[in-house]
Amino acid sequence: MEVTSITEGIIIDHVPAGTALKVLNYLNINPATTRLALIMNTTSHQFGSKDIIKIEGEQDIDLDVLGLVARQATVDVVHGGKIVEKLTPNLPEHVTNVISCVNPRCVTTIERGIKQRFHLVHSERKEYRCDYCDEEAKF
């Protein structure tokens, strides 16, 4: 199988194997309207296997969201066929409208239009809690 290089866009590498579609969903990238290539379950010397997402054209991705769903991923920014910047996402301190609160009594569940906000409690366990009711987030 041959996947050609891109001249303008981004490459999200080292995505955990089998999770590329979930990552696209969390990043709000619609595969039906975006020129992209998914390489799934390819060999990785570092992780055994991985997914790679190549997105052609200008894309503004939220590194905070990527840090939450694919922390070990790397983002290569490509201009003129060359990688001009390499970014690594970090686990964000706060996330908004990525995780939904599961507490049926939480104000975000009852009231419409309130942003779903969570804060990081424990980085090693990737534990987030709701800013409103302190319910632990479920992934």
Side-chain angles (χ1 to χ4, degrees):
M1 175 171 46
E2 181 180 343
V3 179
T4 60
S5 59
I6 59 176
T7 55
E8 298 291 327
I10 60 170
I11 301 168
I12 305 172
D13 198 359
H14 302 106
V15 176
T19 64
L21 292 173
K22 184 170 107 175
V23 169
L24 286 174
N25 186 43
Y26 274 110
L27 293 174
N28 291 320
I29 296 172
N30 184 352
T33 59
T34 306
R35 281 186 66 136
L36 59 87
L38 291 179
I39 304 165
M40 300 182 77
N41 294 313
T42 190
T43 304
S44 167
H45 298 293
Q46 190 173 8
F47 299 109
S49 63
K50 65 179 179 178
D51 291 354
I52 302 171
I53 304 168
K54 291 183 173 189
I55 303 171
E56 199 171 271
E58 284 291 318
Q59 275 303 321
D60 184 30
I61 66 159
D62 189 345
L63 282 180
D64 286 345
V65 173
L66 190 59
L68 182 65
V69 298
R71 192 172 177 186
Q72 72 274 20
T74 58
V75 178
D76 299 330
V77 179
V78 180
H79 288 297
K82 301 214 184 285
I83 296 173
V84 295
E85 190 175 10
K86 200 178 233 351
L87 307 168
T88 55
N90 294 315
L91 199 58
E93 290 291 322
H94 300 279
V95 291
T96 303
N97 290 336
V98 177
I99 309 167
S100 296
C101 188
V102 296
N103 181 355
R105 294 181 308 272
C106 182
V107 68
T108 61
T109 307
I110 299 167
E111 299 288 329
R112 293 189 181 264
I114 296 177
K115 293 182 178 181
Q116 300 273 340
R117 295 192 317 219
F118 286 79
H119 59 277
L120 181 64
V121 176
H122 197 280
S123 60
E124 288 179 23
R125 293 192 312 253
K126 282 178 52 172
E127 180 182 333
Y128 284 86
R129 292 198 171 267
C130 177
D131 282 0
Y132 302 101
C133 70
D134 207 40
E135 180 77 19
E136 184 178 346
K138 305 289 186 224
F139 289 97

